[in-house]
Every structure is written in C-alpha cells, then in structure tokens.
C-alpha cells in the first residue's frame, strides 16, 4: 500500500461575481490555469453564506439571490509548485484571501485489476 506524501493545499477565497481579464469568472480562470499547468487537482466550492473583511454577510436567502456568494478554489500539489502558482494568480484577485497549508496526501486511482 502506498504511503501518504507531503503536499500543499492552496485555498483562494473570492466572490462568485469576481471576474478576470476578459470577463471570465475568476474562479473558473484559476481552475483552468491549474489544469493547464498540470497541477495535481483543483475543486471549486460554492458557499451558501460568508463574510469577509468588510463584515457584511453574504447569503443565499430567497430575497438575496442577486447577492455575491463566496467561492473557494482549492488546489492540491507540491508546496513549491503552489507557491509559483500563487504568483501567477495573484494579479487576478482584486479582493479576497489566499491561504496555504501543509497536508498529507494519498492519491487513490482506479484499480483496473480484478480481485
């Protein structure tokens, strides 16, 4: 059995309406860049509630469907690769937060052999 490896987990907290150059949503641009660079994996998580430095609550209540909801883009890879990636995505983020932490990673792939 394969052992866990050291890796990094990058999280980018932004708003759902944030857009990159050309009008593409920032979270999708970050996801596409991670894939183009061959980073190990990325996921976009859409939040139902949240607040940021301004303290204003954003939620998905029925009367607030037009509000900006939080989005988190998570990217996993070796920490050195993620640090390089931060340098590339930083100009895309006008308002938000970027965090990184060390994680233990075990990649599970489909097993084509029959037991």
């Amino acid at each position: 059995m394969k052992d866990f490896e050291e890796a990094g987990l990058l999280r980018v907290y932004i708003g759902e309406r944030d857009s990159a150059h050309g009008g593409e949503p920032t979270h999708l641009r970050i996801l596409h860049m991670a894939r183009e660079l061959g980073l190990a994996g990325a996921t976009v998580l859409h939040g139902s509630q949240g607040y940021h430095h301004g303290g204003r609550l954003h939620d998905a209540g029925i009367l607030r469907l037009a509000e900006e909801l939080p989005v988190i883009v998570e990217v996993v890879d070796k920490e050195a690769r993620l640090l390089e990636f931060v340098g590339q995505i930083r100009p895309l983020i006008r308002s938000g937060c970027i965090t990184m932490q060390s994680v233990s990673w075990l990649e599970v792939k489909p097993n084509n052999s029959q037991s």
Side-chain angles (χ1 to χ4, degrees), residues 32-97:
H32 294 151
M33 288 174 68
R35 186 171 186 210
E36 289 165 6
L37 292 170
L39 298 178
T43 301
V44 174
L45 306 168
H46 292 267
S48 60
Q49 293 184 333
Y51 72 92
H52 56 85
H53 53 81
R56 184 166 173 247
L57 184 65
H58 300 272
D59 69 28
I62 208 153
L63 298 175
R64 298 182 187 222
L65 292 177
E67 293 286 329
E68 180 175 45
L69 297 175
V71 173
I72 302 168
V73 182
E74 293 190 341
V75 185
V76 176
D77 206 306
K78 300 290 183 189
E79 287 187 10
R81 293 194 72 202
L82 293 176
L83 287 171
E84 291 177 23
F85 186 57
V86 168
Q88 295 177 28
I89 64 170
R90 177 63 187 93
L92 302 175
I93 300 166
R94 290 182 288 209
S95 176
C97 177

Side-chain angles (χ1 to χ4, degrees), residues 3 7-8 13-15 17 24 27 31 35-36 50-51 68 82 84 90 95 99 105 110:
D3 291 328
Y13 297 82
I14 53 178
R17 289 188 189 173
E24 180 180 22
H27 62 278
L31 182 72
R35 186 171 186 210
E36 289 165 6
Y51 72 92
E68 180 175 45
L82 293 176
E84 291 177 23
R90 177 63 187 93
S95 176
T99 65
W105 173 35

